[in-house]
Amino acid sequence: MMDFGHMSRRAEQRGAVAIVVGLSMVVLIGFAGLALDSGRLYVTKTELQNAADACALAAASDLTGAPNIPAANFLIAQNAGRMVAARNRVGFQGALINTGNVTVEFGTTLAGGAWLTAGANPPATSRYARCTIPQAGITPWFMQVLGFGAATVASTATASLVPSQAACNGLPMAMCSQGGAPTFGLVPGNWYNGGFANSGQLTGSFAWIDYSPPSGGASELSGVLSGPGACLSTIGSLVGSTGVTASVNRDWNSRFGIYHPSMDPNGPIPDRSGYAYRPLNWPAQANALANFLNVRRPANTPYGVPGVANGNTITGLGVSPNSSTVLQAGQLATRGANRRIVSAPLVNCAGFTTSQTVPILDYACVLMLHPIDNTPGLTVYMEYIGLSSAAGSPCESLGIPGGPGSTGPAVPGLVQ
């Protein structure tokens, strides 16, 4: 005899199992959706954090000169931060970051103080640059079926200039010490000059140098001048005197936005201004830095003033023949960087007469005043600003932040 009651109970059990499986599937899908959507938000925040870190480091690199940071530097820093942030991608690297979403602010302290944008007139004593980048409208893939709407995530990073243990952006040109430490006989604001001897070597207050003696030479000089600059050796390291340095003027001049026909004008990075200072247009022959920082660089003034006079008329030089490319204000604004306020080793140049190498005594922060032409015996001028390691030095360097005991030129470092 068939047990119909037993068969009915088994059917009921099968129905119960189906219900349990169905409910379990909903829970499992919910957990899977939560994991996937949460992971997506985590990846997005990580991408934004990378962009915020890069933004803060770029902005902090222009906070030079404290406690008297030029007002124009804050706008430059803001634009630099936004430009670098926009080179990053978000959404599994699928979309560029919108510069309009990037907030760059400046402050004097990490906590308890006001954070102001460039347009709100940050104080000249500001030490920190902070970037905040949000990403809104992130629609869930799965959780929206449970009523979750679009989400917003944001990342923030703060950077400052800190002493380095290793820094770059150094000139392959040494300043000659005029005396002993701590001033080395040099006066901030003074112009120091040198001339080209028949061998192509500088004489006077400067000397072309080789950071890796004896393997350097003219090719190394060219690469350093047209590239990111030399990575600075520690104080006490030996540097060598170079030999003939013919044609390095074309690499030097690229920092002024002047490109010889043999150079790619889209290659070497220029300064934000190519305006030149010579005794003809700056007869005081001293203290040109403030004009450069507060007038020429903010306006992206090129070599020569459009509608007023060309650069050669202003300076008395002959550095831009018709075949050369001379960048104008708009090009300098979009492509320029800090390329004329740089660190140069301080050495005892007299030592080169008896030895092929001399030790680095310290690093000088100098302003490259003008391009170089092919005039025999041309006198070259640079303005001494102070030691690169001094507080408030406008010398911008890139490199590795150091510890509490580091005394190298300041470099941007993340602090929060």
Side-chain angles (χ1 to χ4, degrees):
M1 175 182 284
M2 298 182 64
D3 187 351
F4 290 102
H6 181 66
M7 293 175 61
S8 176
R9 286 193 298 273
R10 284 194 299 174
E12 290 173 357
Q13 288 173 349
R14 286 199 298 269
V17 170
I19 293 172
V20 171
V21 171
L23 291 173
S24 298
M25 289 292 291
V26 171
V27 173
L28 290 173
I29 291 173
F31 277 117
L34 179 62
L36 290 171
D37 285 329
S38 297
R40 182 187 180 194
L41 295 178
Y42 178 80
V43 170
T44 300
K45 185 171 179 62
T46 300
E47 292 172 322
L48 292 176
Q49 191 64 58
N50 290 337
D53 290 349
C55 170
L57 290 170
S61 68
D62 281 296
L63 295 184
T64 54
N68 298 302
I69 300 173
N73 277 30
F74 293 106
L75 181 59
I76 292 172
Q78 174 181 280
N79 292 339
R82 287 177 172 172
M83 180 180 67
V84 170
R87 292 176 179 170
N88 289 265
R89 290 179 174 269
V90 70
F92 293 95
Q93 301 296 291
L96 291 172
I97 289 174
N98 186 344
T99 56
N101 294 336
V102 181
T103 300
V104 183
E105 299 170 299
F106 307 95
T108 57
T109 62
L110 282 175
W115 289 92
L116 302 173
T117 62
N121 299 318
T125 54
S126 296
R127 296 180 54 203
Y128 302 99
R130 184 175 73 180
C131 291
T132 303
I133 310 176
Q135 183 74 11
I138 305 173
T139 304
W141 287 327
F142 295 96
M143 299 305 291
Q144 58 182 318
V145 300
L146 299 179
F148 288 87
T152 298
V153 296
S155 291
T156 300
T158 306
S160 183
L161 290 176
V162 296
S164 65
Q165 59 174 308
C168 297
N169 197 26
L171 273 184
M173 177 185 281
M175 284 286 293
C176 298
S177 170
Q178 312 291 313
T183 66
F184 300 97
L186 301 172
V187 179
N190 278 11
W191 285 16
Y192 293 89
N193 62 69
F196 285 105
N198 293 333
S199 66
Q201 180 63 291
L202 278 170
T203 60
S205 297
F206 319 132
W208 292 118
I209 60 161
D210 171 12
Y211 281 95
S212 54
S215 61
S219 60
E220 181 180 284
L221 295 183
S222 296
V224 170
L225 286 169
S226 60
C231 291
L232 308 179
S233 304
T234 57
I235 293 173
S237 298
L238 297 178
V239 293
S241 176
T242 64
V244 176
T245 55
S247 79
V248 295
N249 60 323
R250 66 186 62 176
D251 300 286
W252 175 283
N253 292 351
S254 69
R255 297 195 174 210
F256 292 79
I258 302 170
Y259 296 87
H260 187 272
S262 64
M263 301 184 74
D264 178 7
N266 294 312
I269 297 173
D271 192 87
R272 297 186 182 98
S273 172
Y275 188 80
Y277 299 87
R278 292 279 296 177
L280 183 64
N281 66 321
W282 199 263
Q285 298 186 45
N287 298 313
L289 178 65
N291 179 267
F292 178 70
L293 289 177
N294 297 313
V295 180
R296 300 304 177 182
R297 180 174 273 177
N300 304 115
T301 308
Y303 180 68
V305 181
V308 179
N310 65 48
N312 293 339
T313 300
I314 293 172
T315 62
L317 297 171
V319 298
S320 56
N322 294 332
S323 55
S324 289
T325 299
V326 181
L327 299 188
Q328 298 304 304
Q331 297 165 304
L332 294 173
T334 55
R335 291 195 51 225
N338 185 2
R339 299 283 283 159
R340 290 176 53 186
I341 300 177
V342 291
S343 293
L346 265 167
V347 304
N348 178 8
C349 294
F352 283 131
T353 61
T354 58
S355 174
Q356 292 184 336
T357 59
V358 295
I360 297 173
L361 303 175
D362 211 317
Y363 278 96
C365 183
V366 298
L367 170 62
M368 297 167 63
L369 291 168
H370 59 85
I372 299 172
D373 66 15
N374 292 321
T375 302
L378 174 71
T379 299
V380 179
Y381 298 90
M382 286 200 298
E383 181 169 314
Y384 176 68
I385 299 170
L387 295 180
S388 296
S389 57
S393 171
C395 265
E396 173 189 320
S397 297
L398 301 175
I400 303 174
S406 296
T407 59
V411 297
L414 291 172
V415 294
Q416 198 177 68

